[in-house]
Amino acid sequence: MSESKGANILVVYYSMYKHIEQMATAVAKGVEAAGGKVTIMRVPETLPTEVLKKMGAPEKNADHKEATPADLEAADGIIFGIPTRFGMAAAQVKALIDRTGGLWMKGKLVGKPAGMFVSTGTQGGGQETTALTFVTQLVHHGMVYVPIGYACPKLMDMSEIHGGSPYGAGCLAGPDGSRQPSKLELEVAEFQGKHFTGIASKLMSK
């Protein structure tokens, strides 16, 4: 049997305080475990450097280049890492999507699988609403939304507080951002990378 071509998966994220960046690394680990080829990229920053310094934001990861609409087009599948702002995607993520009008006009993202993982300050801070409101972006592009459902049993673990939902992996950062992604949250993120890549690979073979 000939070896199948691994799906090229783009993990594109925005992270001000490194929570989503950690989750992105776990998702990428899952992609590779499923035989996919992964690229991690950052959503371009829109805030001035002086504002970020006042907010105490650490330096961006220079190893992760900024994504452009062309990078979204080139991938076989895209997993978005999205921090929540008042129950919806951060403006930086929306700004990247707002630059994809040219792709939309030409239908370049139609049929491309997409998923998402999130970070919120609290349990009720948007673990599901962030995904629900971002799905509209995918729908307008005709993309194929790939949630994780309850395929990952760890989502049902009630022994500890954790993020994540049937829509995708998630972490809780705490109101002051001091809480880091837990072992369970990172494991769900890794699962999502594997799960998504398996489905993206099946779509490629059709």
Side-chain angles (χ1 to χ4, degrees):
M1 181 181 295
S2 60
E3 184 178 350
S4 59
K5 174 181 176 291
N8 290 306
I9 306 300
L10 173 63
V11 178
V12 57
Y13 72 92
Y14 177 75
S15 188
M16 183 175 287
Y17 297 110
K18 303 292 185 178
H19 299 86
I20 282 289
E21 183 179 330
Q22 293 180 60
M23 295 287 282
T25 300
V27 170
K29 183 179 178 182
V31 171
E32 292 179 330
K37 301 174 184 177
V38 66
T39 301
I40 305 177
M41 302 190 80
R42 290 185 287 111
V43 168
E45 184 58 80
T46 60
L47 292 174
T49 302
E50 57 269 24
V51 172
L52 292 171
K53 287 182 178 179
K54 290 180 180 178
M55 297 176 72
E59 293 291 327
K60 304 295 185 185
N61 188 334
D63 292 333
H64 299 161
K65 304 304 181 185
E66 290 189 344
T68 67
D71 295 309
L72 304 184
E73 179 183 358
D76 294 322
I78 307 166
I79 310 176
F80 294 92
I82 308 171
T84 300
R85 300 292 185 269
F86 302 105
M88 299 176 66
Q92 289 84 349
V93 179
K94 186 63 168 61
L96 174 61
I97 298 298
D98 286 349
R99 293 170 54 199
T100 61
L103 301 182
W104 173 74
M105 286 291 292
K106 298 177 181 178
K108 293 296 185 178
L109 301 183
V110 172
K112 194 183 296 290
M116 65 194 80
F117 54 98
V118 305
S119 172
T120 66
T122 63
Q123 286 177 286
Q127 288 284 318
E128 294 190 355
T129 60
T130 303
L132 278 169
T133 51
F134 194 73
V135 163
T136 60
Q137 318 296 303
L138 311 182
V139 168
H140 278 257
H141 273 291
M143 303 180 82
V144 179
Y145 175 40
V146 182
I148 58 175
Y150 282 99
C152 180
K154 293 182 184 296
L155 281 176
M156 297 185 184
D157 188 331
M158 296 296 289
S159 65
E160 63 178 89
I161 294 174
H162 62 83
S165 75
Y167 298 94
C171 69
L172 304 174
D176 61 356
S178 62
R179 183 184 184 276
Q180 299 302 309
S182 68
K183 180 175 181 290
L184 187 151
E185 290 168 340
L186 293 172
E187 288 174 347
V188 175
E190 183 176 347
F191 175 90
Q192 182 170 7
K194 293 178 183 177
H195 180 75
F196 181 90
T197 303
I199 292 175
S201 298
K202 289 178 181 177
L203 290 173
M204 284 177 59
S205 67
K206 297 299 183 182

